[in-house]
C-alpha cells in the first residue's frame, strides 16, 4: 500500500451530532443535568426539615454523615453518572465514510457531470486503458460525453442503474492476461460477474477485447464479459471487437472504432459534430518558484517514497532492491544473456517459485536529451499537467509536479512506436502540408492509410524521436507530446530462484534486446538495456531496481511425490531454476520427491548453455532425474525441445498417464509452446490410442486440472 495514508474523519466529541445508528436517538432524549439538579432541589428542603426536628441532645453524638446523607450522596452521584452515560449513549455515532477525493459511484458522477457514456478498461500493460481514453475522448466528437473508468475504483454493482441515464452506454475494453485470466484491475469485476444474479435490463453495452492469438485462451476475458452481460439482461448494441496483438492490434481497434461510432449515432439518433480539431485533456502549468521537495523525481505513488521505504510494496509503492549480482550467462556469441540478483532483505517481501518480479525501467538518457534538443526545451522545467475535467479521478497523466526530464525518463513510453491517435493529434503541428496529410492518413482505417502506418511506423520501427527526426516540419509543443505518450509500464520476469533456498534475494534471467531497424537505427530494449547497466559497484554504492511481486498460478504440485516435466528453452529456463532449487531443498528435508525432468534448448553448447554447471550438478546429485538438452545449431539439422519430447515419448506417457505428472512450459508462445503442445498431442495419439480430437481434449483436461501449465510470452 502507499506509505502516505489519508487521515480518517474524526468522531467523538468534536463531531457534530447526527442521526443515531439505532434510528431512535432523536426520539429518546436523556434527561439533562439541569433537570436532575432541579429534582434534587425539590427534595433537599424536606431532608433539611426532617433533620432539624431531631433533639438537640443527640446532635453532639451524631456522626459527620448520617446514613441518609450517604444515601443522598450516592443517589446524586448515581444520577450524575447516569446523566453522563445516557448522554453518551444518546450521542449519535457518526457514519464512517472512507476518506477519498474521488467519487466511488460512477452513476452519480455521470449524472453530476452530464455524461452518458462510460468506458471501463481491464488493462495490465496500459493498452486497454489507452483505448478507453481514446473512446471517451471520441464521444465529444460524436455529440456525446464520455468518461474512462477503472472498474477497480467503482462499485460495479451499480451497473444496473445505468438505465437511469438517458441514451447511456457502457463500453468495456477488456484485455486478457496470462492463461485467459482477467487483468489485476478487473479481477473484482470478473468475480462480480461470476457471482451476480442481478438484472441488467435497459443497460446498453459493447465490448472490445484485447488479446493475442498465440495464446491458448485468445481474448477469453473480453469474450466472457460480452457473453455474461447479455446473460444478465444487458443489450449488446454493437458487435464484440477482437484485437490481436500478434497481428496488428492498433489496426484492429481503429477498424472496429470507425464502424462503432456511426452505428452509435444511428442507434441514439444523434449526429456527429464533424469537429476534427484536437481535444486537449490536460492544461500545462509551469512552476517557476516551487519547493523542490514537493517535486516528483520518479516515484509512482507517494512523494519521497523512494527515500522512505515502507512495506507493503506493490505497483504504486515498489521496493528499491539493491543489485548484488549481475553477470553474463553466455560464454560466447554476439548476444548478451544475464543473471541478476536483487536483495530484498528487510522488505517483508515474500515470493513463491513460479511468481513474477515486476521491475520499473527508465528510458535511455541519450534519447531523452535528444528529444529535449530537437524540441528546443529546457528539460529541467518543473511542470504540472492538470486535467481540464475537474471531476475526473485522474488529475494528471503521470505524477505531478515534476520535470520534463523526469516524465520522459521515468513515466512515459518514448521507445514504442506511437499509435495512430498520437500521429493524428500531432499532425496539426506539421508545417509541411504533405507531412500533415500523411500523418492523418495513417490514423484512418482506409487501406492506403493502414499500409502507410504499417510500413512507415511498424515495419521501420520508428519511435517518436525517429519520427521527429524524419519529419523536420513536425515540432509539437512538448507538453502536448507528454500528454499523448502512453505510460512506461513495468516489465515482468519469471523469478529464477526459490524462496526456500534464497529467502532474501530474487534472481532474474534475461536476454538483452538489441537490433538495427530498416532505417539503420540501433534499437535497444528499454528494460534489458537498463538491467544490463545495473552494475554492482565496488565503492559501496549499489544500483537499485524498483520492483514488486506479481503472484502466479505457475506452481509446483502440492504433493512433492508427483513427477514434474519442465520444458524451457532459452530464458524459459528461469522459473525452472526456482523449481529445481525447491525440489532439491525438499529432498534435503527428507521429503519424498517425484521424478524431476527438464527439457532445455539453446543454440550452441559452447555459447549459450545457460546455468550449465548448476544443471549438471543437479543431475549428478539426483535433484534432476533426467536432463535433456537440445542444441539447435550444433549440427546440420536443427534439433529443438519438441524433438527430444518425441524421442522420450514412452517415458513421458508413463509419467503423464500413469504417474500423474505435472507439465510446465515456459518461453516463446508463438512457436515453441505451440510445437511442444503438438508433440504432446502426437504422443497421446500414438501411445494412448486416441484420435487428434481426443488427444486435444486430453491435454485440455490436464490444463483444467492444473497439470499442464504455461508461462509464455510472444
Amino acid at each position: 500500500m502507499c506509505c502516505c495514508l489519508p487521515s480518517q474523519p474524526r468522531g467523538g466529541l468534536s463531531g457534530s451530532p447526527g442521526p443515531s445508528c439505532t434510528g431512535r436517538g432523536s426520539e429518546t432524549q436523556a434527561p439533562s443535568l439541569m433537570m436532575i439538579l432541579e429534582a434534587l432541589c425539590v427534595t433537599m428542603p424536606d431532608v433539611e426539615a426532617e433533620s432539624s426536628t431531631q433533639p438537640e441532645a443527640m446532635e453532639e453524638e451524631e456522626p459527620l454523615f448520617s446514613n441518609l446523607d450517604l444515601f443522598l450522596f450516592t443517589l446524586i452521584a448515581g444520577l450524575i453518572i447516569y446523566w453522563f452515560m445516557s448522554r453518551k449513549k444518546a450521542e449519535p455515532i457518526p457514519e464512517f465514510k472512507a476518506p477519498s477525493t474521488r467519487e466511488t459511484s460512477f452513476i452519480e458522477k455521470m449524472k453530476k457531470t452530464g455524461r452518458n457514456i462510460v468506458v471501463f478498461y481491464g488493462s495490465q500493460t496500459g493498452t486497454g486503458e489507452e483505448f478507453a481514453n481514446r473512446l471517451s475522448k471520441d464521444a465529444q466528437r460524436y455529440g456525446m460525453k464520455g468518461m474512462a473508468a477503472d472498474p477497480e475504483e467503482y462499485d460495479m454493482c451499480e451497473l444496473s442503474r445505468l438505465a437511469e441515464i438517458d441514451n447511456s452506454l457502457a463500453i468495456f475494453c477488456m484485455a486478457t492476461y496470462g492463461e485467459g485470466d482477467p487483468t489485476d484491475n478487473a479481477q473484482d469485476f470478473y468475480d462480480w460477474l461470476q457471482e451476480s444474479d442481478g438484472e441488467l435490463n435497459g443497460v446498453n453495452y459493447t465490448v472490445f477485447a484485447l488479446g493475442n492469438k498465440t495464446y491458448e485462451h485468445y481474448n477469453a476475458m473480453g469474450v466472457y464479459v460480452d457473453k455474461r452481460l447479455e446473460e444478465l439482461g444487458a443489450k449488446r448494441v454493437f458487435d464484440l471487437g477482437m484485437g490481436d496483438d500478434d497481428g496488428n492490434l492498433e489496426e484492429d481497434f481503429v477498424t472496429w472504432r470507425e464502424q462503432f461510432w456511426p452505428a452509435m449515432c444511428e442507434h441514439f439518433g444523434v449526429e456527429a459534430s464533424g469537429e476534427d480539431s484536437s481535444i486537449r485533456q490536460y492544461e500545462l502549468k509551469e512552476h517557476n518558484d516551487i519547493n523542490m521537495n514537493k517535486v516528483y523525481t520518479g516515484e509512482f505513488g507517494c512523494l519521497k517514497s523512494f527515500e522512505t521505504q515502507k512495506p507493503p510494496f506493490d505497483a504504486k509503492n515498489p521496493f528499491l532492491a539493491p543489485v548484488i549480482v549481475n553477470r553474463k550467462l553466455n560464454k560466447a556469441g554476439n548476444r548478451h544473456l544475464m543473471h541478476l540478483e536483487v536483495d530484498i532483505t528487510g522488505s517483508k517481501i515474500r515470493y513463491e517459485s513460479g511468481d513474477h518480479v515486476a521491475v520499473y525501467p527508465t528510458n535511455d538518457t541519450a534519447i531523452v536529451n535528444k528529444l529535449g534538443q530537437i524540441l528546443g526545451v529546457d528539460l529541467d522545467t518543473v511542470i504540472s499537467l492538470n486535467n481540464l475535467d475537474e471531476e475526473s479521478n485522474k488529475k494528471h497523466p503521470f505524477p505531478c509536479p515534476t520535470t520534463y526530464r523526469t516524465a520522459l525518463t521515468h513515466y512515459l513510453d518514448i521507445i514504442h512506436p506511437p499509435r495512430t491517435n498520437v500521429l493524428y493529434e500531432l499532425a496539426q503541428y506539421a508545417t509541411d502540408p504533405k507531412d500533415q496529410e500523411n500523418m492523418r492518413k495513417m490514423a484512418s482505417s482506409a487501406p492506403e492509410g493502414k499500409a502507410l502506418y504499417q510500413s512507415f511506423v511498424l515495419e521501420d520501427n520508428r519511435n517518436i524521436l525517429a519520427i521527429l527526426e524524419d519529419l523536420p516540419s513536425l515540432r509539437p509543443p512538448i507538453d502536448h507530446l507528454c500528454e499523448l505518450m502512453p505510460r512506461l509500464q513495468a516489465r515482468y520476469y519469471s523469478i529464477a530462484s526459490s524462496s526456500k533456498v534464497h529467502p532474501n534475494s530474487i534472481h532474474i534471467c534475461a536476454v538483452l534486446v538489441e537490433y538495427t531497424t530498416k532505417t539503420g537505427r540501433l534499437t535497444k530494449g528499454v528494460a534489458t538495456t537498463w538491467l544490463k547497466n545495473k552494475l554492482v559497484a565496488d565503492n559501496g554504492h549499489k544500483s537499485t531496481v524498483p520492483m514488486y511481486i506479481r503472484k502466479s498460478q505457475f506452481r509446483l504440485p502440492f504433493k512433492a511425490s508427483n513427477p514434474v516435466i519442465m520444458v524451457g528453452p532459452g530464458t524459459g529456463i528461469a522459473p525452472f531454476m526456482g523449481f529445481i532449487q525447491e525440489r532439491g531443498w525438499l529432498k534435503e528435508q527428507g521429503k519424498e520427491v517425484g521424478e524431476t525432468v527438464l527439457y532445455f534448448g539453446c543454440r550452441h553448447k559452447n555459447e549459450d548453455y545457460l546455468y550449465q554447471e548448476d544443471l549438471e550438478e543437479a543431475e549428478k546429485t539426483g535433484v534432476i532425474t533426467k536432463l535433456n538438452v537440445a542444441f539447435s545449431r550444433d549440427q546440420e539439422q536443427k534439433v529443438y525441445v519438441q524433438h527430444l519430447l518425441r524421442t522420450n515419448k514412452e517415458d513421458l506417457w508413463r509419467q503423464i498417464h500413469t504417474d500423474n505428472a505435472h507439465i510446465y512450459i515456459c518461453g516463446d508462445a508463438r512457436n515453441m509452446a505451440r510445437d511442444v503442445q503438438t508433440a504432446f498431442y502426437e504422443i497421446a495419439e500414438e501411445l494412448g490410442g486416441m484420435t487428434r480430437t481426443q488427444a486435444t481434449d486430453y491435454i485440455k483436461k490436464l490444463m483444467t486440472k492444473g497439470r499442464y501449465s504455461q508461462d509464455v510470452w510472444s
Side-chain angles (χ1 to χ4, degrees), residues 292-407:
M292 293 306 289
N293 286 325
K294 296 182 179 180
V295 177
Y296 281 87
T297 57
E299 308 94 322
F300 297 94
C302 296
L303 193 65
K304 304 298 179 185
S305 62
F306 284 168
E307 294 179 14
T308 308
Q309 292 264 277
K310 293 181 180 178
F313 297 103
D314 55 24
K316 292 184 179 179
N317 183 37
F319 176 65
L320 289 181
V323 178
I324 52 178
V325 173
N326 187 347
R327 60 184 171 88
K328 188 176 181 180
L329 280 173
N330 51 315
K331 300 167 185 173
N334 55 10
R335 296 191 303 160
H336 184 95
L337 295 111
M338 64 192 104
H339 171 88
L340 288 92
E341 297 178 17
V342 297
D343 188 359
I344 56 170
T345 303
S347 66
K348 298 185 179 179
I349 289 174
R350 300 289 179 266
Y351 72 95
E352 298 293 332
S353 300
D355 282 343
H356 299 133
V357 57
V359 301
Y360 282 107
T362 58
N363 288 310
D364 188 339
T365 302
I367 296 176
V368 172
N369 289 337
K370 280 184 183 177
L371 276 172
Q373 183 181 358
I374 206 168
L375 294 175
V377 296
D378 178 3
L379 292 176
D380 295 314
T381 303
V382 181
I383 58 110
S384 289
L385 288 179
N386 301 320
N387 202 319
L388 291 165
D389 178 6
E390 295 180 357
E391 297 295 331
S392 174
N393 287 353
K394 191 173 183 179
K395 301 302 180 186
H396 316 283
F398 44 77
C400 290
T402 191
T403 63
Y404 287 123
R405 186 184 305 281
T406 298

Side-chain angles (χ1 to χ4, degrees), residues 66 107 139 146 167 242 277 284 326 340 381 399 496 504 512 580 657 679 695:
S66 68
I107 295 295
N167 288 342
M242 298 284 274
S277 61
L284 171 68
N326 187 347
L340 288 92
T381 303
N504 293 319
L512 178 67
I580 292 164
H657 195 63

Side-chain angles (χ1 to χ4, degrees), residues 358-464:
V359 301
Y360 282 107
T362 58
N363 288 310
D364 188 339
T365 302
I367 296 176
V368 172
N369 289 337
K370 280 184 183 177
L371 276 172
Q373 183 181 358
I374 206 168
L375 294 175
V377 296
D378 178 3
L379 292 176
D380 295 314
T381 303
V382 181
I383 58 110
S384 289
L385 288 179
N386 301 320
N387 202 319
L388 291 165
D389 178 6
E390 295 180 357
E391 297 295 331
S392 174
N393 287 353
K394 191 173 183 179
K395 301 302 180 186
H396 316 283
F398 44 77
C400 290
T402 191
T403 63
Y404 287 123
R405 186 184 305 281
T406 298
L408 294 171
T409 302
H410 294 274
Y411 300 138
L412 299 174
D413 185 351
I414 58 175
I415 299 301
H416 193 277
R419 298 196 186 276
T420 57
N421 67 303
V422 176
L423 300 179
Y424 181 87
E425 295 274 358
L426 294 181
Q428 62 183 303
Y429 301 113
T431 55
D432 185 333
K434 186 67 175 174
D435 289 345
Q436 192 172 113
E437 179 188 350
N438 284 335
M439 291 178 73
R440 290 203 167 124
K441 188 185 296 180
M442 285 188 281
S444 73
S445 60
E448 185 184 357
K450 288 180 180 179
L452 183 59
Y453 179 75
Q454 179 70 28
S455 61
F456 183 76
V457 178
L458 298 183
E459 291 178 7
D460 290 348
N461 200 45
R462 281 183 171 88
N463 59 29
I464 190 63

Side-chain angles (χ1 to χ4, degrees), residues 147-359:
M147 61 177 268
D150 184 343
E152 196 173 36
E153 295 183 354
Y154 293 101
D155 181 3
M156 296 304 290
C157 297
E158 289 201 328
L159 195 57
S160 60
R161 294 184 56 204
L162 192 61
E164 298 173 10
I165 299 172
D166 292 338
N167 288 342
S168 59
L169 170 66
I171 307 173
F172 295 86
C173 291
M174 307 307 294
T176 300
Y177 184 78
E179 295 304 300
D181 302 319
T183 58
D184 290 348
N185 76 310
Q187 182 65 55
D188 290 343
F189 173 50
Y190 175 73
D191 294 341
W192 175 77
L193 283 175
Q194 287 189 309
E195 298 163 5
S196 177
D197 56 359
E199 294 288 334
L200 297 181
N201 295 328
V203 174
N204 298 312
Y205 80 94
T206 190
V207 178
F208 183 82
L210 298 85
N212 189 309
K213 271 187 179 172
T214 60
Y215 289 83
E216 178 76 20
H217 305 282
Y218 173 53
N219 273 333
M221 181 60 179
V223 171
Y224 174 76
V225 170
D226 180 64
K227 174 174 170 288
R228 185 65 180 138
L229 289 173
E230 184 180 43
E231 290 174 350
L232 293 173
K235 180 182 179 183
R236 183 190 299 106
V237 294
F238 194 72
D239 294 338
L240 168 68
M242 298 284 274
D244 179 18
D245 201 30
D246 185 49
N248 189 331
L249 182 61
E250 176 71 12
E251 183 178 317
D252 294 338
F253 176 71
V254 169
T255 301
W256 179 86
R257 170 175 164 252
E258 292 209 353
Q259 295 170 353
F260 164 73
W261 282 116
M264 289 306 95
C265 289
E266 183 178 350
H267 179 83
F268 291 118
V270 297
E271 292 185 6
S273 63
E275 184 181 325
D276 284 334
S277 61
S278 173
I279 301 171
R280 291 293 300 266
Q281 189 175 350
Y282 299 93
E283 65 177 352
L284 171 68
K285 177 177 175 56
E286 293 189 359
H287 303 280
N288 298 317
D289 184 18
I290 188 171
N291 184 344
M292 293 306 289
N293 286 325
K294 296 182 179 180
V295 177
Y296 281 87
T297 57
E299 308 94 322
F300 297 94
C302 296
L303 193 65
K304 304 298 179 185
S305 62
F306 284 168
E307 294 179 14
T308 308
Q309 292 264 277
K310 293 181 180 178
F313 297 103
D314 55 24
K316 292 184 179 179
N317 183 37
F319 176 65
L320 289 181
V323 178
I324 52 178
V325 173
N326 187 347
R327 60 184 171 88
K328 188 176 181 180
L329 280 173
N330 51 315
K331 300 167 185 173
N334 55 10
R335 296 191 303 160
H336 184 95
L337 295 111
M338 64 192 104
H339 171 88
L340 288 92
E341 297 178 17
V342 297
D343 188 359
I344 56 170
T345 303
S347 66
K348 298 185 179 179
I349 289 174
R350 300 289 179 266
Y351 72 95
E352 298 293 332
S353 300
D355 282 343
H356 299 133
V357 57
V359 301

